[in-house]
Amino acid sequence: MSAYLETARARLEKLRGREDILTLGIESSCDETACAVLRGSEVLSSVIASQIDIHKRFGGVVPEIASRNHVTAIDGVVRSALNEAGVTLKDIEVIGVTYGAGLLGALLVGVSYAKALAYSLGIPLMAVNHIKGHIAVNYVADSALEPPYVCLIASGGHTAVAYVKGWDELEILGSTQDDACGEAFDKAARVLGLSYPGGPAVEKLAVTGRPSVKLPRPFKGIDTLDFSFSGIKTALINYVHNAEARGEEINRADVACSFQELVTDIMADNAVRAAELKGCNKLVIAGGVGANKTLRDKVKQRAQRSGIDVYYPPIGLCTDNGVMIAAQAQCMIKAGRDCAEYDLDADASLTPED
Ligand code: KG4
Ligand code: ZN
């Protein structure tokens, strides 16, 4: 064991059981360089440097460009978060950093930075699973929320329903067999000529449309909590291309609305059914697609009929941020997890259960 790990572990043990830990959360898994300072569940600052405008012209995130921009942004983002929180590095008691899943080069920027910082300060570093961070941000939004509960994970890279058993433990009940829901929104947006990221653009366009375009519902007649979105995406592409080939004008708002209705229907159905099957009266929504109002409303409506309470974060905390990473670092401390050694590596293909 290194001298650093020995010191960090001793400090970590002293933090256990405390509800006011001053935590720094660092996130760099995709196209947002983000950092937040939390005192327990109180958010003292949250700074996000988004690269959306840089990647927009390519229609999606270009991994190498993302990594380079994280390198440029990270130090300023962390300093701003500290300044806004009115604290200095010496006050920070623990650092949480996303080590997976995500783009490898992008993850490595945050991991390297956080390791160097934790090592130089002699404080514990918690290696945070990004998806668990999306879930944990709900504890910040509602400090009364506690496991166990059923969670709908609806992000750009993952779609699943999970049973969250403890502060850092979950079991997948059903997951996507192909695309993630956010990916499907992004692809639908591209076909409709909307800009990246597609989810908010599709949602905005759908408001003025009607669900008049018939798209295929996957797993019809099959009893499953799994998801599949690639058939819907293909049907949508075919619909648009066939209309173009015939020289017919399509109603883009109707297409966006039909797509959103079907995708959110599937997600709301699976989420509520999973909670019913588990006999669980708490249902949590996590991830970027959780910002979608149609999805939130459908889950709420259907859950209400079964006496299930629904939790979701404010829209600004649905997509990637540093708050979620700091929140999950605190969950890991509650769960008795160990801190990372300075040989921590990024893991691009981490699963939600890891
Ligand atoms: O969870 P997230 O920030 O990234 C991952 O961890 O993967 O989610 C990003 C995804 C993108 O695909 C984006 O299009 C989608 O969330 N998204 C939305 C909305 N806001 C973001 N999808 C539907 N409706 C929204 N309002
Ligand atoms: Zn995310």
Side-chain angles (χ1 to χ4, degrees):
M1 195 197 325
S2 71
Y4 159 68
L5 188 59
E6 205 170 329
T7 311
R9 273 188 180 155
R11 288 188 165 185
L12 178 62
E13 288 316 314
K14 288 195 183 141
L15 298 179
R16 300 211 201 266
R18 270 187 44 204
E19 294 290 338
D20 61 347
I21 304 168
L22 197 65
T23 313
L24 188 80
I26 298 177
E27 156 63 33
S28 73
S29 68
C30 191
D31 58 349
E32 257 103 32
T33 322
C35 181
V37 179
L38 267 65
R39 190 185 304 279
S41 59
E42 185 194 353
V43 180
L44 302 186
S45 68
S46 175
V47 177
I48 302 173
S50 174
Q51 300 180 19
I52 284 178
D53 286 341
I54 298 166
H55 298 281
K56 224 171 204 165
R57 65 193 139 121
F58 304 107
V61 181
V62 183
E64 185 54 32
I65 296 176
S67 314
R68 289 175 195 206
N69 281 288
H70 284 306
V71 171
T72 318
I74 195 158
D75 197 48
V77 167
V78 173
R79 280 172 203 274
S80 300
L82 290 165
N83 284 342
E84 276 183 32
V87 300
T88 68
L89 274 178
K90 286 203 174 69
D91 302 318
I92 299 297
E93 295 175 293
V94 64
I95 298 174
V97 65
T98 306
Y99 81 109
L103 304 168
L104 187 61
L107 288 165
L108 279 170
V109 178
V111 168
S112 312
Y113 188 95
K115 280 201 295 191
L117 205 53
Y119 181 64
S120 67
L121 296 168
I123 60 172
L125 173 66
M126 307 309 287
V128 171
N129 180 326
H130 180 85
I131 290 298
K132 286 181 174 167
H134 274 301
I135 300 171
V137 84
N138 281 282
Y139 303 125
V140 174
D142 187 336
S143 54
L145 177 67
E146 282 186 5
Y149 53 81
V150 166
C151 180
L152 170 66
I153 300 167
S155 83
H158 293 85
T159 304
V161 272
Y163 185 55
V164 179
K165 300 174 185 177
W167 295 110
D168 187 39
E169 194 189 354
L170 61 85
E171 174 198 341
I172 296 293
L173 305 171
S175 61
T176 183
Q177 303 300 296
D178 39 60
D179 295 347
C181 56
E183 208 178 340
F185 265 99
D186 293 338
K187 286 178 182 166
R190 204 178 304 178
V191 177
L192 290 170
L194 302 169
S195 67
Y196 173 84
V202 169
E203 180 171 34
K204 198 167 159 211
L205 182 61
V207 171
T208 55
R210 289 177 313 113
S212 60
V213 181
K214 218 167 160 36
L215 296 166
R217 191 172 175 119
F219 300 123
K220 229 178 181 161
I222 298 171
D223 192 21
T224 178
L225 291 173
D226 285 338
F227 303 81
S228 168
F229 299 108
S230 75
I232 302 171
K233 173 197 68 188
T234 307
L236 188 139
I237 293 171
N238 289 342
Y239 176 84
V240 173
H241 288 175
N242 288 342
E244 272 170 8
R246 287 197 295 266
E248 288 169 12
E249 191 74 26
I250 59 158
N251 184 325
R252 288 161 64 254
D254 279 6
V255 178
C257 179
S258 308
F259 171 83
Q260 179 174 263
E261 282 300 320
L262 179 55
V263 168
T264 54
D265 244 16
I266 293 165
M267 290 200 285
D269 278 353
N270 273 13
V272 175
R273 221 156 55 78
E276 287 168 350
L277 288 172
K278 274 283 172 191
C280 185
N281 67 352
K282 282 188 280 183
L283 177 56
V284 169
I285 305 177
V289 183
N292 189 280
K293 190 170 179 311
T294 305
L295 176 65
R296 291 168 175 239
D297 290 348
K298 278 186 188 173
V299 173
K300 240 184 350 196
Q301 267 170 19
R302 289 171 205 190
Q304 221 163 28
R305 282 184 228 142
S306 305
I308 298 166
D309 295 328
V310 177
Y311 301 78
Y312 44 72
I315 288 185
L317 291 179
C318 287
T319 45
D320 296 347
N321 60 79
V323 176
M324 60 190 248
I325 305 307
Q328 177 56 16
Q330 293 178 4
C331 287
M332 292 173 74
I333 297 174
K334 275 191 189 152
R337 298 284 185 254
D338 196 5
C339 51
E341 174 63 292
Y342 54 57
D343 62 356
L344 171 70
D345 207 351
D347 184 347
S349 51
L350 206 65
T351 71
E353 281 169 311
D354 287 331

